Amino acid sequence: MINFVRPDIAEMEPYTPIVPFEVLSARLGREPADIVKLDANENPYGPSPKVVEALGNGRFYHIYPDPESNQLREALSEFTGVPKARLMAGAGADELIDLVLRVVLSPGDVVVDCPPSFGMYPFSTAVNAGQYVAVPRKDDFSLDIEKIEATVTRHNAKILILCSPNNPDGSLISDDDLRRLLALPVLVVLDEAYVDFVGVLNRKAREERKDKQEKNFAPSASFAVSHLNWVMEYDNLAVLRTFSKLAGLAGLRVGYGAFPEWLLPHMWKIKQPYNINVAASLAALAALQDRDWLADKVALIVQERERMAAELAQFDWLQPYPSHSNFVLFRVLGRDARQLKLDLEQRGVLVRYFNKPGLDNCIRISAGKPEETDRLVAAMKEIGD
Ligand SMILES: Cc1ncc(COP(=O)(O)O)c(C=O)c1O
């Protein structure tokens, strides 16, 4: 029998896909509206009304999209302060992770990653025939900087992937550590999918800053903490961001990144021409026009993250880790985290369960709307001791 599958792909473990919402809804015998979905770090508020309106008014869905996403990149340049020429949009940050690895890696080239972190890094490395080398994080999820330096050097690594805030714990990489790692002869890919939830100001503080006409003011305050503009300073840095978490557009798949000048022409060369579809582009543009709405929702999510952690502190079998993102990681003590996840699921509350090195017996819970936190806390109480 013919089998021309690449041997390394034939041997790969499949990526565990999420169970579609409709399937889950049928399995649990609950309407989607009755499910509290806190398992995938999505934005519970969904897109802004301006996005919905723009999608309704779209007139060119029958025409192929602009392969260069010019309008969107212009708007992103204004939003981030990074020149348009240094920006590329992708079908989610996921596509950009794959694209960078595809351009850079020859078979066997080393990618260094610091697990526990986002599962797409080892996955995309394997798909692109790279060699994945892990430098595990310390117990508090901070990076082992010396070990990263030694590993990058020993393996002559091509790519170092960093995630800040890190998924699944929500910890940040300090600027000092980042600068130190950028001194290595390696392309650093910094994934900032959750950066919009760092250092979030409440509405009053935002208004005050706006009144003062502060330079570089961005309503979500994220630009102040994002490292996107560092690509202008370091030619071995790529920074990725997304509309999935900030703007509630996970289902439409729009992300973007800033990249080194030497890399971009080759990324453009091999990118699928129509990677950003017309609806995704319209939605992202409209979202960027509704920044106060985005900022309000981000502030609400951060507020709810804090409330969720505080409410769950009443259960001494849940040990939370401090988070700068839109989720909180809990270590489950003295009981089975998988069973807890299943018990919550029976009550219509979905959380993410982990049991792997560095994450044994853990659950990660995304911040939801206030009523969703209430349902979560009530379900936890019911499950009780
Ligand atoms: C760290 C991290 N990066 C990237 C992504 C994917 O982003 P996108 O939806 O833009 O592909 C996720 C999604 O959960 C994530 O956790």
Side-chain angles (χ1 to χ4, degrees), residues 337-347 349 351 383:
R338 186 166 171 277
Q339 190 56 48
L340 176 61
K341 174 216 150 76
L342 293 174
D343 289 345
L344 287 168
E345 196 174 285
Q346 282 314 309
R347 289 160 177 81
V349 179
V351 302
I383 294 164

Side-chain angles (χ1 to χ4, degrees), residues 78-108:
E78 184 268 321
F79 180 56
T80 63
V82 174
K84 177 187 164 197
R86 300 295 290 274
L87 298 170
M88 183 184 267
D94 280 351
E95 188 199 15
L96 296 169
I97 296 168
D98 176 69
L99 202 55
V100 171
L101 297 188
R102 232 175 336 138
V103 174
V104 171
L105 296 182
S106 296

Side-chain angles (χ1 to χ4, degrees), residues 91-94 97 118 121 163 167 191 193-194 242 244-245 253-255:
D94 280 351
I97 296 168
F118 185 41
Y121 310 147
C163 186
N167 178 4
D191 184 342
Y194 298 100
T242 179
S244 296
K245 322 292 176 181
R253 315 301 302 126
V254 208

